[in-house]
Amino acid sequence: MERLPQISEAEYEIMKIIWADSPISTNEVCEKAPKSHNWSNKTIHTLLSRLTAKHVIAYEQRGRMYYYYPIVSQKKYLSQENRHFLDRFYNGEAPTLLSSLLSGSEISDADLEKMYHMLDSKLNGGEKD
């Protein structure tokens, strides 16, 4: 599997916007950036430049405006990050992760039911990614 570039948490926030609404103009990215970060437009432009340099996004110029679109899909990126997380914290062992999740947090019955059906479907031949 091709190794995708690592992106920072700030870059990931920008990627979520681009994945959701591409192609998207620089101005629209600035408008949709989480207000909780208090990022200036210059900071957002820097993040866009970094993501472009990492070949995670690309852009096209229309008149004086730049429109960004993802090169790497969200599904592909999350798959890599999930694998990295599992390897780093749980020695690549999904049952250990599941045990930790079940014993260490409050999970609603509805969420447990959804997880049960996902596992059951996977065991019975459904959703083979």
Side-chain angles (χ1 to χ4, degrees):
M1 177 161 120
E2 172 193 353
R3 183 87 176 128
L4 303 174
Q6 285 295 118
I7 61 174
S8 70
E9 287 186 40
E11 291 166 343
Y12 183 69
E13 290 296 320
I14 299 301
M15 284 303 300
K16 289 192 295 189
I17 295 166
I18 294 170
W19 280 319
D21 294 313
S22 71
I24 185 169
S25 72
T26 308
N27 291 344
E28 291 171 313
V29 173
C30 290
E31 289 170 14
K32 293 183 180 209
K35 302 297 181 222
S36 60
H37 294 302
N38 294 318
W39 291 332
S40 69
N41 286 353
K42 184 174 168 117
T43 298
I44 294 169
H45 288 195
T46 299
L47 293 169
L48 289 167
S49 294
R50 287 182 190 167
L51 289 165
T52 302
K54 292 179 180 184
H55 303 287
V56 179
I57 63 172
Y59 63 88
E60 62 182 42
Q61 188 172 358
R62 298 180 196 163
R64 294 178 47 194
M65 190 64 67
Y66 291 91
Y67 286 82
Y68 293 88
Y69 57 91
I71 297 173
V72 174
S73 73
Q74 186 173 23
K75 182 177 181 177
K76 189 172 184 179
Y77 186 76
L78 289 177
S79 177
Q80 174 179 289
E81 288 301 302
N82 288 337
R83 173 51 53 195
H84 176 72
F85 177 82
L86 188 62
D87 289 343
R88 181 173 177 208
F89 294 106
Y90 295 96
N91 265 353
E93 298 177 12
T96 307
L97 167 62
L98 183 59
S99 175
S100 176
L101 181 64
L102 292 173
S103 67
S105 63
E106 293 293 319
I107 299 176
S108 71
D109 288 347
D111 283 343
L112 286 170
E113 189 75 25
K114 286 178 190 174
M115 287 191 286
Y116 172 80
H117 288 297
M118 293 166 104
L119 289 168
D120 187 54
S121 173
K122 190 75 167 177
L123 286 170
N124 291 310
E127 289 190 39
K128 294 191 181 188
D129 289 329

